[in-house]
Amino acid sequence: MTDIASDQIPDVISQLVLLIAPTKKDPIGPDTKLVSELSYHSLAMVQLGLTIEDVFEFDSLPQERASSLETVHEIVELVRELLDEGEGALPTVDHLQSIVVPLGGDWPPAS
């Protein structure tokens, strides 16, 4: 199956953020705030971080950077930077599906 295109990273991150968010708010955009708008708490942030690591096959997210992320856009930028540095890989559609379906999602997301 084909890899997700790099221009789809914001869509992937947005869907993961929304699926894991304690408070659902649809649609979410680049400036959506994790804590104040989606009620993210420490456990939800850990789950999101682990899910992103799994999706993009990162060994681990840099803890100092990950702990300061506040918006969807900041997560997208971190993922892009890590991929540009040669960390991880873009997921295949099948791999992404295997992660989002158990969370109640689908790829591509229904519009």
Side-chain angles (χ1 to χ4, degrees):
M1 184 68 64
T2 60
D3 287 348
I4 299 298
S6 62
D7 65 345
Q8 292 178 293
I9 292 172
D11 295 332
V12 171
I13 297 299
S14 292
Q15 185 178 32
L16 294 175
V17 166
L18 187 59
L19 289 171
I20 295 170
T23 299
K24 306 301 182 204
K25 174 190 172 199
D26 196 16
I28 63 173
D31 296 324
T32 300
K33 294 185 179 1
L34 301 174
V35 174
S36 63
E37 294 181 61
L38 301 175
S39 304
Y40 265 83
H41 48 74
S42 58
L43 291 176
M45 291 294 276
V46 168
Q47 182 182 8
L48 179 61
L50 293 172
T51 303
I52 289 170
E53 288 173 359
D54 191 17
V55 167
F56 293 98
E57 300 178 10
F58 296 132
D59 289 333
S60 66
L61 295 175
Q63 195 59 32
E64 64 285 346
R65 291 278 314 277
S67 63
S68 67
L69 298 173
E70 296 180 6
T71 65
V72 173
H73 175 73
E74 290 172 357
I75 298 170
V76 170
E77 289 304 305
L78 176 59
V79 167
R80 284 186 170 147
E81 285 175 27
L82 292 172
L83 290 171
D84 287 347
E85 292 169 5
E87 300 287 328
L90 290 170
T92 64
V93 171
D94 285 344
H95 181 63
L96 186 55
Q97 244 333 52
S98 74
I99 293 169
V100 299
V101 167
L103 295 172
D106 197 15
W107 188 264
S111 354

